[in-house]
Amino acid sequence: MTRGIYCVAFGAPARVAATRMMLSAKKHMPDVPIALCAASRIGPEDVLVVQHDSDVGARRVKLQAYELAPAEWESVLYLDADTEVVAPVYQFFRWAEDGWDLVICRDVGETLHSFQRRNNIPELHQVETAVGTLFALQFNGGVWALRRGDPACSFMRAWRSEWEVHGQRDQGALVRALHACPLRVLVLGNEWNTFPKQTPGIMTAGVLHYPGDARRWAGKLPGRIDSPEAWARVTPGAR
């Protein structure tokens, strides 16, 4: 099966972080092509996908990975710009090729309670209604792989549709989409998506995650991340 990595980088901090991520992926998996969704080339990518910079967190184009990644890729590994590949992680592709529609890791905060923020209480209640409880696994949307097919296609469309409702973080929309569009999901631990500061003592299997490195704003955004208010919070020179 053909494979590839999809990543997104809009704004100066994300472009710097994505450069590190892509160079590290090339070092450990030189045979795996990378598709970068951005406003212009960075350099290490094999394919450039130019899209409109529509929200400060670049969530909209992230959740179009199924449509925007090269159609010939039968398995796709998504990596946030603020990750670093420190060992080969071909296993993500192998799991997808073995029949798992989605391969994803649990979040640092184990249950859906960790999704709560001061600015997302209505969405938290929507998540609880959709799932039936907050005592369910919280997944991390920064590192995942999919196997092309109808189940993954339907799920990714649902994930984006659910994200558009609130236009904030994507974890709540992810959970709602999973419950609306069931598919074969392999859930991994944080050794496959390792946060050095938040997961001390865990030996990584190959992906380190540095949350915040790619952000072009500071603090908590007040509402939708595609709003004028959100764009006004972007650090000067970082857009």
Side-chain angles (χ1 to χ4, degrees):
M1 297 180 71
T2 55
R3 306 166 167 177
I5 295 170
Y6 178 77
C7 62
V8 173
F10 285 89
R15 290 176 67 86
V16 171
T19 301
R20 175 187 62 196
M21 186 279 289
M22 290 191 289
L23 289 174
S24 69
K26 288 290 185 184
K27 175 182 177 180
H28 293 285
M29 298 186 294
D31 55 321
V32 178
I34 299 174
L36 168 70
C37 183
S40 60
R41 282 194 66 85
I42 292 179
E45 70 274 11
D46 300 283
V47 178
L48 174 64
V49 180
V50 177
Q51 291 288 305
H52 177 58
D53 188 5
S54 67
D55 63 270
V56 303
R59 297 290 193 273
R60 190 170 281 117
V61 289
K62 167 184 175 177
L63 301 184
Q64 294 180 69
Y66 196 99
E67 296 91 343
L68 296 179
E72 65 270 22
W73 292 358
E74 297 168 276
S75 56
V76 179
L77 172 62
Y78 171 81
L79 295 175
D80 267 355
D82 57 8
T83 61
E84 181 182 11
V85 180
V86 295
V89 287
Y90 293 106
Q91 189 60 48
F92 277 100
F93 298 109
R94 296 185 186 116
W95 278 316
E97 292 158 5
D98 282 344
W100 296 99
D101 299 310
L102 178 69
V103 182
I104 196 166
C105 303
R106 51 154 290 191
D107 205 355
V108 176
E110 188 169 354
T111 70
L112 295 175
H113 297 85
S114 65
F115 179 63
Q116 182 173 341
R117 300 291 188 277
R118 291 192 303 272
N119 62 346
N120 73 347
I121 299 304
E123 184 171 11
L124 181 73
H125 292 328
Q126 186 179 4
V127 169
E128 185 172 15
T129 298
V131 178
T133 179
L134 293 179
F135 289 96
L137 273 180
Q138 172 70 66
F139 305 108
N140 185 275
V143 177
W144 43 267
L146 62 81
R147 173 189 175 93
R148 284 196 185 273
D150 290 341
C153 182
S154 296
F155 161 72
M156 289 301 300
R157 288 177 177 172
W159 191 1
R160 181 187 169 189
S161 178
E162 291 290 346
W163 178 83
E164 293 285 355
V165 174
H166 297 277
Q168 294 182 308
R169 299 164 67 218
D170 56 47
Q171 289 97 330
L174 163 62
V175 173
R176 299 197 305 275
L178 283 173
H179 280 259
C181 299
L183 69 171
R184 287 174 54 86
V185 181
L186 177 61
V187 181
L188 308 175
N190 289 127
E191 67 274 14
W192 292 95
N193 181 8
T194 309
F195 299 77
K197 292 182 179 179
Q198 290 87 358
T199 55
I202 292 181
M203 181 176 293
T204 185
V207 179
L208 298 179
H209 202 157
Y210 311 102
D213 275 13
R215 288 184 182 175
R216 46 184 164 176
W217 73 92
K220 296 288 190 298
L221 296 175
R224 295 188 63 91
I225 64 173
D226 57 0
S227 68
E229 293 78 12
W231 282 110
R233 295 281 294 275
V234 172
T235 305
R239 182 161 181 173

